[in-house]
Amino acid sequence: MKIGIISREDYIKRTIAIAKGEYKPQKDEPKVWFESMKSLAQVLSNENQDLLRIIINHEPRSLSELEELTHRKKSNLSRTLKTLERYGIVELVKDKGKVIPKVKATDFQVEFSLENHLSHLADSAMV
């Protein structure tokens, strides 16, 4: 999964440019964006990486089973998994009243620039 780091302001401007048809994202651009390295580090913390490994290795069939495997409360797991789902890292499959977590992304590439991201958009706005 390719991850980008971009300021909220630049992300909004990028989204507006896309909506107006002024900018077309390239195929190799990140599909998932974080506002900072800090926010990325929070989502992909060591604890959350351990959680993802447990899901991959044990394939729990419910949040209750995952609760037993991780010794984390179901409410905490649910909140964490919903965040991971929002970023496309996991999928929460509902089956017969149970929620089954599935890991969708296991490899990550991070892309960011110290230069103003908007200049990049302006250069390629007419693509």
Side-chain angles (χ1 to χ4, degrees), residues 15-101:
T15 302
I16 291 169
I18 291 169
K20 288 181 174 180
E22 296 171 354
Y23 177 71
K24 183 176 180 187
Q26 304 300 306
K27 288 185 180 188
D28 65 341
E29 282 186 37
K31 303 289 187 263
V32 176
W33 295 92
F34 286 86
E35 189 173 343
S36 66
M37 290 296 287
K38 183 177 180 178
S39 61
L40 168 62
Q42 289 170 337
V43 172
L44 288 175
S45 66
N46 290 343
E47 184 179 40
N48 288 348
Q49 289 178 51
D50 290 343
L51 175 63
L52 293 170
R53 284 185 197 96
I54 289 169
I55 295 168
I56 291 166
N57 293 331
H58 296 276
E59 299 180 358
R61 301 297 301 158
S62 68
L63 287 186
S64 297
E65 189 177 330
L66 186 58
E67 182 180 33
E68 288 178 29
L69 290 166
T70 61
H71 308 290
R72 289 170 63 173
K73 292 187 180 198
K74 198 184 294 188
S75 60
N76 173 282
L77 285 171
S78 181
R79 191 170 42 255
T80 299
L81 290 169
K82 284 179 183 171
T83 298
L84 292 169
E85 181 180 46
R86 193 169 64 243
Y87 287 104
I89 298 168
V90 301
E91 179 181 16
L92 299 175
V93 179
K94 293 181 174 82
D95 183 36
K96 299 177 185 169
K98 293 183 179 182
V99 176
I100 304 167

Side-chain angles (χ1 to χ4, degrees), residues 101-112:
K102 303 278 185 185
V103 176
K104 292 174 57 177
T106 57
D107 296 295
F108 303 92
Q109 294 177 334
V110 179
E111 180 178 299
F112 68 98

